[in-house]
């Protein structure tokens, strides 16, 4: 009787590899998901950099407004050098830089949303096939 009890319990026990069969196509989907996830991480990092750049430009605009002397030449860092120009031109260059960075941020956010949609569809397909035998959730840092 002890043997029949142990065989019944072994049938109900989780066996890691017994229910999971991964085909070549499945592995390709998993790899594609991983590549999309890595690309999403890259976009998120780039987005952080652009958001910081935009904040710095906005801070520069705020500082420029505090300047009392309209005729004062203001240093503007361009490439690897500073150029000195009047307040009007500096403000114009800051506004153009802000517009450019805001456009880049919107583009990155769009790319992130598109990747999240694609990955969501892939998650649905992979979880439908593998259930809890696969983990596609991102780790929180």
């Amino acid at each position: 009787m002890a043997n029949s009890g142990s065989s019944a319990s072994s049938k109900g026990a989780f066996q890691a590899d017994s229910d999971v069969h991964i085909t070549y196509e499945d592995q390709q989907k998993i790899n594609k998901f991983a590549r999309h996830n890595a690309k999403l991480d890259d976009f998120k990092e780039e987005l952080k950099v652009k958001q910081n750049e935009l904040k710095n430009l906005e801070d520069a605009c705020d500082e420029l407004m505090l300047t009392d002397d309209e005729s004062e030449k203001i240093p503007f860092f361009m490439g690897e050098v500073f150029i000195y120009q009047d307040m009007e031109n500096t403000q114009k260059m800051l506004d153009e830089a802000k517009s450019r960075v805001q456009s880049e941020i919107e583009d990155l956010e769009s790319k992130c949303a598109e990747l999240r949609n694609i990955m969501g569809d892939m998650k649905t397909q992979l979880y439908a096939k593998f259930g809890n035998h696969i983990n596609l959730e991102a780790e929180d840092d």
Side-chain angles (χ1 to χ4, degrees), residues 19-67:
D19 296 332
V20 179
H21 177 70
I22 299 176
T23 66
Y24 177 76
E25 291 79 20
D26 295 333
Q27 187 60 53
Q28 294 303 345
K29 285 181 185 177
I30 293 167
N31 292 347
K32 187 174 183 179
F33 181 88
R35 285 191 303 274
H36 284 325
N37 194 43
K39 187 183 285 189
L40 180 61
D41 287 344
D42 290 344
F43 285 155
K44 289 188 324 192
E45 283 299 314
E46 191 176 345
L47 188 58
K48 285 180 189 176
V49 169
K50 294 297 180 184
Q51 288 169 334
N52 189 43
E53 186 178 343
L54 181 61
K55 184 185 178 313
N56 289 340
L57 289 167
E58 289 170 345
D59 289 346
C61 286
D62 292 344
E63 288 294 322
L64 192 59
M65 286 183 202
L66 298 175
T67 304

Side-chain angles (χ1 to χ4, degrees), residues 57 74-78 81-85 89-90 93-94 97:
L57 289 167
I74 299 169
F76 189 88
F77 191 64
M78 185 174 248
V81 298
F82 282 98
I83 58 172
Y84 288 86
Q85 53 192 7
N89 286 332
T90 302
M93 290 184 82
L94 284 172

Side-chain angles (χ1 to χ4, degrees), residues 124-138:
T124 302
Q125 293 170 11
L126 291 169
Y127 276 129
K129 178 152 186 175
F130 297 109
N132 62 355
H133 294 284
I134 192 168
N135 181 10
L136 303 173
E137 303 305 316

Side-chain angles (χ1 to χ4, degrees), residues 56-119:
N56 289 340
L57 289 167
E58 289 170 345
D59 289 346
C61 286
D62 292 344
E63 288 294 322
L64 192 59
M65 286 183 202
L66 298 175
T67 304
D68 292 335
D69 187 3
E70 297 272 332
S71 64
E72 181 180 348
K73 293 291 183 187
I74 299 169
F76 189 88
F77 191 64
M78 185 174 248
E80 296 181 7
V81 298
F82 282 98
I83 58 172
Y84 288 86
Q85 53 192 7
D86 61 23
M87 184 174 298
E88 183 179 333
N89 286 332
T90 302
Q91 185 66 45
K92 181 180 174 187
M93 290 184 82
L94 284 172
D95 289 340
E96 289 171 1
K98 280 177 31 180
S99 293
R100 178 186 46 81
V101 172
Q102 286 170 333
S103 175
E104 291 170 355
I105 287 172
E106 290 169 6
D107 184 48
L108 285 169
E109 288 172 340
S110 173
K111 288 178 181 178
C112 287
E114 184 180 330
L115 271 178
R116 284 186 182 108
N117 287 337
I118 292 169
M119 290 170 62

